[in-house]
Amino acid sequence: MSRRVVITGAGVVSSLGMGVDEFWSQCLKGNTAVAGVPEGWPHYPQLHSRIWSPLPEIDHELLGVARAERLQLDPVAMLALGAAREAIGRAGFALASAGERSRNFIMSGVDSERVGVFFGTGLGGAITFLQNHTHHLLHEPRANLIAYVKKHDDPAGSEVLQSVIAQMVHGIRFNPFEVSMVMPNAPAAAIGIKYNLTGPNQTCCLACASGTVAVGNAFRAVRDGRVDVAVSGGCEYFADEHGHIFRSFDVSGTLVREFADPQTANRPFDEKRSGFLFSQGGAAALILEDLEHAQRRGATIMAELIGFAETFDAHSMMSLAPGGKQIERMIRSALNDANLSPDDVDYLNAHGTGTKNNDQTEAEVIQRVFGKSVRVNSTKSLLGHTIGASGAIEALVTALTLRDGKTHISRNLENPVLDLNFVRSVEPFEPRVALSQSFAFGGHNAAIVLRKYGPE
Amino acid sequence: MNVSVQQRVLKVIAEILNRKESEIRLDASLRDDLQASSLDQMTIFVALEDEFQRNMPPEEVTGLITVKDIIDFIDRKLQETTST
């Protein structure tokens, strides 16, 4: 059984705004959101990178997350719920309450046993883990120190003790919901529970390729007839109160180091690139649907998904294999899956992180496979790197590019690493086929192929 | 009984259990009358910790059965902190 798979809904939460319309409008303007990281973070003076792409303040009402849910979910799952909510709404599924006093819904016009969830994340509920660990370690020593200072009324070394107490910051509790908040499958599970979706519910945990693999696996499930509809996407949230996650990327040497001008510091594919822009997080959701199912509902179709492939470098945990042999094999396999050749591709949404190694290798592969025949941009040049969300956000950009016949610039690109057909200005064109690719720590490579929707 | 504490507790319980405040009697048992599951009860105490900025560890709240028990418990908690 092989069916045509179309995208009928999308949702996004990003540093460039919440909601597809705002997000796409900001992308087409070539805007970016960059700010300094909090100076109060421990080890701030030792950081090599000190900028990030912050999210707007989280509006829980807009995400559709009630107070009780906020207490039981890590922010990463809330972002996923927000993106899924918009996507399901845009896909035109009417929602009925799942019961008196329930905050959950039942999607009408679809057999819920034939709807799956395929969501990606890199670190899942890491923030909750860190918060609880801080409480676990510091709560009692801090209380003992405070009691000691109080009892001895200005003891020797009081100033030092007060300063140590001030550094021992932790949350109010050791959260009883920690396990279900931290587990990486929580975002996918939260979506399945919220909309009573009882088909397969899968979490794809492949670092920066998580979102692309999730969309790809959802595509296969719909194409093969295992489900009629899939809520697919990716999510990430990295704003822990002490900047621990930022530091872990920083110390590994992956983040942007030249940031005297924050607006131009993030420069994928440019000779002067110095690393990637750390993102506070984000999420994107795409509703994939069997074409006939979508037509019966009268759904609006954004684009069609026609191919997917994965390969693995088997080389290094943190570096792409030189030469990009497995990336090239992935591109050719994805196009083969779609019964197409490189000549058919009009637009390529690159992984384009801004690290020395990634952009050099990726550009070489693109030049080898496509020459200058494809337009290329990096969505990370606007958003920074949202890790587990990035593949899903870039799949959304690819679908919007096909739908609208225009795409965003690759920002801050002055001297390209290679002479590719990079997008320098927003101009109308007529893309029929597009490819979006992601590579991940560990060595995972994944690509999806999309086509402008039209009768075959 | 502190009226403001009572109002805030009722608001939190109503919000977590997705009920109207007017449905919640002071002598109602969380489990038997309000059908709060053990997870619901855990969520209520986590929400009350946030609301009153006081620790309410499981060992301290286990014996609280009714809404009034909770209000009295929080009243005591607040007084303890103010008097120390």
Side-chain angles (χ1 to χ4, degrees), chain A residues 424-443:
Chain A
R424 306 296 196 111
S425 59
V426 179
E427 285 167 9
F429 70 121
E430 294 183 359
R432 278 192 36 76
V433 174
L435 184 142
S436 177
Q437 61 189 15
S438 302
F439 323 133
F441 275 5

Side-chain angles (χ1 to χ4, degrees), chain A residues 232-306:
Chain A
S232 66
C235 53
E236 207 71 82
Y237 187 79
F238 279 168
D240 65 276
E241 57 196 335
H242 301 113
H244 181 131
I245 297 179
F246 185 95
R247 188 182 177 201
S248 67
F249 280 96
D250 186 64
V251 79
S252 69
T254 55
L255 302 185
V256 60
R257 290 191 174 215
E258 306 296 328
F259 53 89
D261 175 5
Q263 291 297 314
T264 61
N266 177 28
R267 3 183 11 107
F269 293 114
D270 189 80
E271 288 287 4
K272 286 190 189 159
R273 69 198 182 280
S274 64
F276 72 75
L277 174 66
F278 185 93
S279 168
Q280 184 180 345
L286 296 172
I287 306 300
L288 307 191
E289 191 167 355
D290 164 40
L291 173 62
E292 290 181 13
H293 192 276
Q295 285 172 329
R296 278 198 299 276
R297 295 194 305 115
T300 304
I301 293 169
M302 282 177 70
E304 183 173 2
L305 255 162
I306 54 174

Side-chain angles (χ1 to χ4, degrees), chain A residues 67 72 101 103 172-173, chain B residues 15-16 43 49-50 55:
Chain A
R67 181 176 185 173
Q72 298 175 5
R101 287 197 292 280
R103 294 184 184 86
I172 188 172
R173 74 176 70 84
Chain B
E15 221 176 316
I16 301 303
T43 312
E49 280 185 330
D50 280 352
N55 271 126

Side-chain angles (χ1 to χ4, degrees), chain B residues 15-68:
Chain B
E15 221 176 316
I16 301 303
L17 298 181
N18 216 5
R19 286 175 175 270
K20 291 185 185 125
E21 278 180 52
S22 55
E23 289 174 20
I24 301 171
R25 297 192 329 266
L26 294 185
D27 63 352
S29 147
L30 281 186
R31 193 186 63 190
D32 298 331
D33 299 319
L34 299 174
Q35 278 99 47
S37 67
S38 56
L39 281 181
D40 288 335
Q41 292 181 49
M42 214 145 76
T43 312
I44 287 169
F45 287 110
V46 169
L48 289 169
E49 280 185 330
D50 280 352
E51 178 70 27
F52 293 99
Q53 291 295 300
R54 295 291 184 283
N55 271 126
M56 300 179 198
E59 59 273 18
E60 283 189 37
V61 301
T62 307
L64 306 177
I65 308 291
T66 66
V67 174
K68 184 170 181 310

Side-chain angles (χ1 to χ4, degrees), chain A residues 24-64:
Chain A
W24 190 225
S25 152
Q26 293 290 331
C27 285
L28 291 176
K29 287 177 190 158
N31 285 343
T32 189
V34 188
V37 300
E39 291 182 21
W41 276 353
H43 307 283
Y44 179 85
Q46 288 95 51
L47 293 174
H48 301 292
S49 186
R50 289 185 191 151
I51 56 171
W52 68 344
S53 187
L55 285 169
E57 195 174 340
I58 292 180
D59 179 341
H60 294 102
E61 208 169 306
L62 204 57
L63 298 178

